[in-house]
Amino acid sequence: MIKRSIFWFLLMFACHVVAQQKVSVEAIYSGVFRPKGMEELQAMKNANQYTVLNTDRTTQSQQIDLYDYATLKKVSTLLDTKNFTILSEGIDSYVFSADEKQLLIANNSVPIYRHSFTADYFLYDLTSKSLRKILTQVQEPLFSPDGKKIAYVKTNNLYVLDVASGTSTTITEDGEKNAIINGITDWVYEEEFAFVRAFDWSADSKKIAFIRFDERQVPEFSMDIYQKALYPGQEKFKYPKAGEKNAAVSLHIFDLIANLKKEVNLSQYKDFYIARMRWTNDANVLCAQVLNRHQNNLDLLFIDGTTTAAKVVLNEKDNAYVDVHDNLTFLKDNSFIWTSEHDGWNHIYVYDKNGKLKNQVTKGAWEVTAYYGFDEKTKSIFYQSTENGSIVRDVYRICIDGKRKIKLSKQEGTNAAMFSPNFEYFINTYSSATVPPMYSLHSAKEGDQVQMILENSSLTEKLKAYDLPAKEFFVLTTAKGHALNAWMIKPKNFDATKKYPVFMYQYSGPGSQQVANDWLDTNDYWFMQLAQQGYITVCVDGRGTGFKGAAFKKCTQKELGKFEVEDQIDAAKFLGTYPYVDSTRIGIFGWSFGGFMASNCLFKGADVFKMAIAVAPVTNWRFYDSIYTERYMQTPQENASGYDDNSPINHVSKLKGSFLLIHGTADDNVHVQNSMQMIEALVQANKQFDWAIYPDKNHGIYGGKTRIQLFNKMTNFIKEKL
């Protein structure tokens, strides 16, 4: 009887072992672990409803479906692509006119840079159910508030389309590639200020304001494009590197009624940026955020739409830099809500229409991380913050006078909200390190859940077969006393009496965060795979990262990479004291800024790290763009030591461990020049290393089987070298 019991136990154990599936790079990058979501979720503005872009796999069609916030029931299908052959290529995105009676639909999108693209656009009339193609391969079309016109950019010029007649009016004619841009940002604005459309309609639909970029004096960068042609092609674009000439920007207002264009006089500013521009609720008042080149002085301007006279209504100064944001909200009387790090933490402030401070709405040693809106009826502001810890996010409501604050989110982890137009409900998106994304409807009054919308229970069930290890959060305090957020992933069969190699992952860029209690991304699944092969992965957010106050974030000013590298080295040393860590087998990995960090850590921490993988790294800060680099370092002419002492290309002689350097040749962001010159420096230092170059791949290094090949390469390198 005992023998039979042992037999059945062993048989069941063997079956259990067989059932535990292994995570593979192929599974990760073929979408096996991708959670379900709500695509193109948009709140309507004129009714208590929202839309979602749904896909019908059986008919290979897409539907823009309308739902009611209160019941979550589908009200109707606004458009189904199977009814329109001209939408056979599907819907890439869509936007409503202000009255929500027309839809502008994009398809056949062609990417340009990180955010920009051209696309074909179709106009759908929701009343007549008619659809017609109106624009071919243009950028950033925008309805006028009255819905009668659409402004757009094509080949660097600004146009206005009359919806009724289908005719276009030319606003500018001097647009030229690599010379003049009207209404669209240049490369560096798009990348670092994160916006593409540089024009806006006045509230009465009578005027358009736009930014003009003159980039003729900006140095040009070229990239070879290989593809499969007999001779490579070449892409050339303007790219201002640190300390080099920026595009000269100017602000213009075009009056459609008078057919007159005026330039706003900004002659009081020299070498400046127009970081944001939009019309206020007053149809004759334009606002613009003008930032000096050091980015430590920001003026919020109110500009008269008729005379173009400008006045400063708000000024922000900082010893390091002023963060640019999109949290500016105008109320009915043109008073406005603004967020600022004025007291050392990002908080909400209210100003009157003349820029006089009325009150600070939120206060405390925590940060407002998203502003959701203002309910005029209840005088309530809705926002997301780190009040319950820097690695979590919660949703709150608070009265505009700073009183009667209510925490609306209920679950610990990462909560984000989209509110109904009347602010009675919100759709909460929640996830944590153990719970995949779930969408639920809540009351905006107290936060009570009304109904679950979507869960990823099928993904949860699927993952049971993989028996994945947990992501453990903790605070790592270095020998120097710096308390840093961290997480650790151990093998599932972890044995504290054994010694394990440690693979450290980080990004470390200014204001960033990798240690957050949210759902797993693709990198996390890779780390789980490494755990199944006996590796411990650790991530540490060092000084310079975000959401722990301005002082923590901005202490790296003028020495970008110094304290960040110091913290990773100190963290590795501390981890090496753990009884279950093999201190002789610690590696580090990062991408972009993280690749810059991984390189520096291996070179400067040569006796601490055994190996490093650097993907698309900046190797010399002199090679990177002006807006980003100068924000944290000023110019190379002003701060040569800050640039050179912290650039890994200048420390290659210190290399002792194993180094894998990876880059894409079509990286328009961190140019392959960084890795090519690093390779030459390593060769001349007589250092052995490994490298991989991916032809025609950009900063993301993806497409086809690229990610699978790349991550298998990195996995094999780790297994061989660590």
Side-chain angles (χ1 to χ4, degrees):
M1 186 69 180
I2 295 175
K3 289 181 179 179
R4 182 176 295 176
S5 297
I6 292 172
F7 169 77
W8 283 113
F9 172 79
L10 291 174
L11 181 62
M12 289 174 67
F13 178 76
C15 291
H16 177 74
V17 171
V18 170
Q20 299 311 304
Q21 296 186 43
K22 297 293 184 183
V23 179
S24 69
V25 167
E26 287 74 13
I28 295 169
Y29 288 99
S30 61
V32 169
F33 306 114
R34 189 177 298 129
K36 292 186 293 184
M38 299 175 72
E39 286 191 57
E40 287 289 326
L41 177 65
Q42 293 188 33
M44 304 294 279
K45 293 180 173 59
N46 301 319
N48 205 36
Q49 298 169 324
Y50 64 91
T51 60
V52 177
L53 180 62
N54 290 316
T55 301
D56 186 333
R57 305 292 179 190
T58 57
T59 61
Q60 295 294 301
S61 62
Q62 291 177 290
Q63 299 77 38
I64 299 175
D65 290 325
L66 181 68
Y67 296 84
D68 182 76
Y69 261 106
T71 64
L72 295 181
K73 291 182 179 178
K74 187 167 87 169
V75 177
S76 64
T77 294
L78 299 182
L79 180 144
D80 193 327
T81 59
K82 73 173 182 286
N83 298 326
F84 299 96
T85 56
I86 57 174
L87 284 180
S88 59
E89 293 184 35
I91 298 172
D92 295 339
S93 62
Y94 62 91
V95 64
F96 287 90
S97 59
D99 62 6
E100 297 177 337
K101 294 180 179 179
Q102 300 178 93
L103 264 174
L104 196 56
I105 298 168
N107 79 1
N108 194 25
S109 298
V110 179
I112 303 174
Y113 301 123
R114 186 187 294 267
H115 307 289
S116 57
F117 61 92
T118 61
D120 297 336
Y121 287 89
F122 301 79
L123 187 66
Y124 183 66
D125 188 304
L126 275 79
T127 303
S128 66
K129 309 296 183 186
S130 60
L131 179 75
R132 59 190 170 106
K133 185 176 181 180
I134 58 169
L135 296 166
T136 301
Q137 291 303 300
V138 305
Q139 290 182 263
E140 301 295 318
L142 181 69
F143 279 111
S144 58
D146 63 12
K148 295 179 179 179
K149 294 180 172 58
I150 297 172
Y152 64 93
V153 174
K154 187 178 180 72
T155 59
N156 288 5
N157 278 315
L158 183 61
Y159 300 85
V160 172
L161 174 78
D162 182 81
V163 172
S165 67
T167 59
S168 286
T169 300
T170 303
I171 306 300
T172 67
E173 297 180 329
D174 59 347
E176 182 184 345
K177 182 177 172 60
N178 291 333
I180 304 294
I181 312 172
N182 294 288
I184 292 292
T185 54
D186 65 355
W187 184 94
V188 72
Y189 267 64
E190 175 180 337
E191 179 66 27
E192 305 304 353
F193 289 142
F195 74 107
V196 177
R197 180 171 56 82
F199 67 86
D200 194 32
W201 285 98
S202 62
D204 59 6
S205 303
K206 294 178 180 179
K207 298 182 182 74
I208 295 176
F210 66 95
I211 304 174
R212 178 182 184 269
F213 292 79
D214 183 344
E215 53 179 2
R216 286 174 292 187
Q217 299 303 311
V218 178
E220 196 169 74
F221 191 83
S222 63
M223 297 188 304
D224 286 334
I225 307 299
Y226 299 96
Q227 297 178 336
K228 296 181 179 179
L230 185 61
Y231 293 92
Q234 195 172 65
E235 180 67 27
K236 296 180 180 179
F237 60 101
K238 299 288 187 166
Y239 185 106
K241 299 201 174 192
E244 296 298 310
K245 195 83 171 174
N246 282 321
V249 292
S250 53
L251 183 59
H252 304 261
I253 297 174
F254 181 77
D255 188 321
L256 279 77
I257 307 303
N259 193 30
L260 183 66
K261 182 168 58 182
K262 292 183 180 180
E263 180 176 347
V264 177
N265 184 1
L266 298 176
S267 59
Q268 68 271 39
Y269 300 103
K270 306 297 180 187
D271 207 359
F272 62 95
Y273 301 110
I274 303 174
R276 292 289 186 271
M277 178 275 300
R278 57 179 284 202
W279 288 91
T280 70
N281 288 336
D282 185 329
N284 201 48
V285 178
L286 174 71
C287 78
Q289 296 179 39
V290 176
L291 198 60
N292 65 333
R293 183 149 183 168
H294 279 170
Q295 299 174 64
N296 57 10
N297 188 95
L298 184 147
D299 285 344
L300 177 64
L301 303 180
F302 277 10
I303 300 155
D304 186 292
T306 303
T307 67
T308 70
K311 66 175 181 177
V312 178
V313 294
L314 179 68
N315 173 256
E316 288 265 355
K317 287 185 173 67
D318 195 284
N319 290 330
Y321 56 90
V322 178
D323 272 321
V324 174
H325 57 75
D326 292 303
N327 297 332
L328 175 61
T329 301
F330 290 99
L331 307 185
K332 286 183 177 179
D333 64 353
N334 243 26
S335 59
F336 58 94
I337 295 170
W338 178 262
T339 59
S340 170
E341 293 180 319
H342 181 71
D343 72 353
W345 301 83
N346 196 48
H347 282 297
I348 299 172
Y349 297 79
V350 180
Y351 294 85
D352 69 16
K353 65 180 181 180
N354 297 311
K356 181 181 178 182
L357 178 65
K358 295 176 73 172
N359 69 292
Q360 181 176 346
V361 181
T362 60
K363 299 175 183 177
W366 47 270
E367 309 239 320
V368 170
T369 46
Y371 167 81
Y372 293 128
F374 174 68
D375 180 12
E376 186 74 41
K377 180 171 73 270
T378 62
K379 305 300 180 187
S380 297
I381 289 173
F382 298 87
Y383 66 93
Q384 179 200 61
S385 79
T386 63
E387 193 162 350
N388 293 304
S390 58
I391 69 168
V392 299
R393 301 288 186 273
D394 282 298
V395 178
Y396 287 85
R397 67 177 289 167
I398 190 171
C399 288
I400 198 167
D401 61 6
K403 299 176 182 177
R404 298 180 293 282
K405 179 168 62 177
I406 298 173
K407 180 171 171 283
L408 298 176
S409 51
K410 308 298 183 183
Q411 294 174 284
E412 183 176 344
T414 297
N415 296 273
M418 189 186 79
F419 285 84
S420 62
N422 62 10
F423 288 99
E424 289 183 6
Y425 301 98
F426 68 94
I427 293 175
N428 192 65
T429 304
Y430 166 76
S431 78
S432 72
T434 57
V435 180
M438 55 198 308
Y439 300 79
S440 51
L441 182 70
H442 296 256
S443 160
K445 187 176 181 181
E446 300 290 339
D448 297 332
Q449 181 173 312
V450 177
Q451 190 175 334
M452 180 59 65
I453 303 173
L454 184 152
E455 292 181 281
N456 272 286
S457 52
S458 58
L459 176 59
T460 302
E461 193 63 32
K462 180 189 294 182
L463 290 175
K464 287 180 180 178
Y466 293 87
D467 195 23
L468 298 177
K471 181 184 278 190
E472 304 170 18
F473 294 95
F474 64 104
V475 174
L476 186 152
T477 303
T478 67
K480 296 184 178 73
H482 300 297
L484 310 175
N485 291 337
W487 56 251
M488 177 182 291
I489 298 173
K490 299 173 184 172
K492 190 72 176 181
N493 59 352
F494 175 76
D495 183 346
T497 65
K498 293 182 178 180
K499 293 278 190 181
Y500 291 88
V502 168
F503 186 60
M504 292 179 66
Y505 162 68
Q506 46 65 56
Y507 177 73
S508 304
S512 66
Q513 184 175 51
Q514 299 302 313
V515 182
N517 190 4
D518 57 10
W519 185 240
L520 312 176
D521 62 18
T522 50
N523 277 338
D524 289 320
Y525 285 107
W526 184 50
F527 303 142
M528 299 289 183
Q529 181 201 27
L530 294 176
Q532 289 182 336
Q533 299 181 60
Y535 294 90
I536 292 175
T537 301
V538 176
C539 179
V540 179
D541 276 345
R543 284 172 290 172
T545 56
F547 311 108
K548 296 181 73 175
F552 186 87
K553 179 175 68 174
K554 296 177 178 179
C555 70
T556 62
Q557 193 69 6
K558 295 188 181 180
E559 293 283 3
L560 200 57
K562 179 180 179 180
F563 297 125
E564 301 95 319
V565 169
E566 182 181 299
D567 284 351
Q568 295 299 319
I569 292 173
D570 289 348
K573 289 178 179 177
F574 187 79
L575 292 167
T577 66
Y578 288 11
Y580 52 82
V581 169
D582 185 342
S583 62
T584 67
R585 299 174 67 197
I586 298 177
I588 190 165
F589 156 70
W591 198 303
S592 193
F593 194 100
F596 151 77
M597 286 288 298
S599 304
N600 255 346
C601 286
L602 184 63
F603 300 162
K604 293 187 175 184
D607 297 318
V608 178
F609 293 100
K610 186 179 182 184
M611 56 78 71
I613 300 174
V615 183
V618 173
T619 66
N620 185 340
W621 280 122
R622 293 172 181 267
F623 295 160
Y624 202 52
D625 77 61
S626 57
I627 293 179
Y628 183 94
T629 316
E630 293 171 18
R631 179 185 301 151
Y632 311 114
M633 301 272 278
Q634 295 188 355
T635 66
Q637 294 86 344
E638 297 168 297
N639 183 23
S641 63
Y643 277 76
D644 299 336
D645 293 350
N646 297 299
S647 292
I649 198 167
N650 297 321
H651 299 279
V652 293
S653 62
K654 301 170 186 174
L655 173 63
K656 291 183 181 179
S658 300
F659 184 46
L660 174 57
L661 178 61
I662 295 168
H663 221 121
T665 65
D667 191 334
D668 61 280
N669 184 356
V670 181
H671 304 145
V672 73
Q673 171 192 21
N674 283 270
S675 285
M676 290 303 185
Q677 293 206 15
M678 174 83 102
I679 289 167
E680 176 62 12
L682 286 161
V683 168
Q684 295 309 317
N686 195 24
K687 297 294 181 179
Q688 295 300 315
F689 62 100
D690 293 88
W691 55 290
I693 298 295
Y694 287 82
D696 298 335
K697 295 299 182 286
N698 65 15
H699 197 56
I701 312 182
Y702 60 88
K705 302 286 186 182
T706 304
R707 278 290 176 99
I708 293 173
Q709 194 276 348
L710 168 60
F711 275 82
N712 275 326
K713 173 178 283 293
M714 293 195 295
T715 302
N716 293 335
F717 187 79
I718 293 165
K719 291 165 69 174
E720 179 184 343
K721 304 298 185 181
L722 191 63

